[in-house]
Amino acid sequence: MTTITICTTCRTGKDRETKLGTPAGEAFLQRAQSAAASEPGLSVRGVACLMGCEHGCNAAITATGKMTYVLGRFDGTNEDAEALAGYARLYAESDTGSVPYRQWPTGVKGHFVARVPPVD
Ligand code: FES
């Protein structure tokens, strides 16, 4: 199972300063759940804060035995959610979690923040 973890408390733009209203991460979670609903082997969950608050919206993609990728600088739009789910599907299909750059959905390019190798 591949898990997409969305930060539900991420804010974007001016909201990051004012901290008013519903965080963009809440909508990003719902949109990611919809985008991944038709993808077998993907689950989506929300958590409060991935500690990348200055470059939200943030998300992580992980699976047992695979490289974990953290992505950020999303606005939380439907297009962002579709790109993230599309990348997660390719990640799920790979043996190691490594997806060739030429296969990356355009919408994830420039959004990678970190990768974490699997534990032995
Ligand atoms: S609020 Fe989203 S990473 Fe901290």
Side-chain angles (χ1 to χ4, degrees):
M1 177 65 71
T2 291
T3 301
I4 301 172
T5 301
I6 303 283
C7 173
T8 58
T9 49
C10 267
R11 295 180 179 276
T12 59
K14 206 171 173 181
D15 289 349
R16 190 175 296 136
E17 298 162 21
T18 63
K19 301 194 183 321
L20 296 174
T22 303
E26 287 283 351
F28 194 26
L29 172 62
Q30 293 178 6
R31 290 170 179 148
Q33 288 172 328
S34 295
S38 61
E39 304 283 359
L42 294 186
S43 68
V44 182
R45 65 178 179 168
V47 300
C49 196
L50 291 171
M51 298 190 79
C53 321
E54 294 304 312
H55 51 74
C57 293
N58 290 291
I61 299 175
T62 191
T64 302
K66 293 185 178 182
M67 189 78 76
T68 294
Y69 290 95
V70 180
L71 300 89
R73 297 183 292 273
F74 288 113
D75 293 323
T77 63
N78 283 327
E79 291 76 18
D80 289 341
E82 291 289 342
L84 189 63
Y87 179 83
R89 178 178 51 78
L90 296 170
Y91 173 99
E93 291 171 354
S94 75
D95 290 335
T96 62
S98 177
V99 177
Y101 179 79
R102 66 181 177 280
Q103 295 181 10
W104 292 9
T106 301
V108 301
K109 292 178 179 175
H111 291 273
F112 285 82
V113 173
R115 66 178 181 176
V116 182
V119 293
D120 294 331

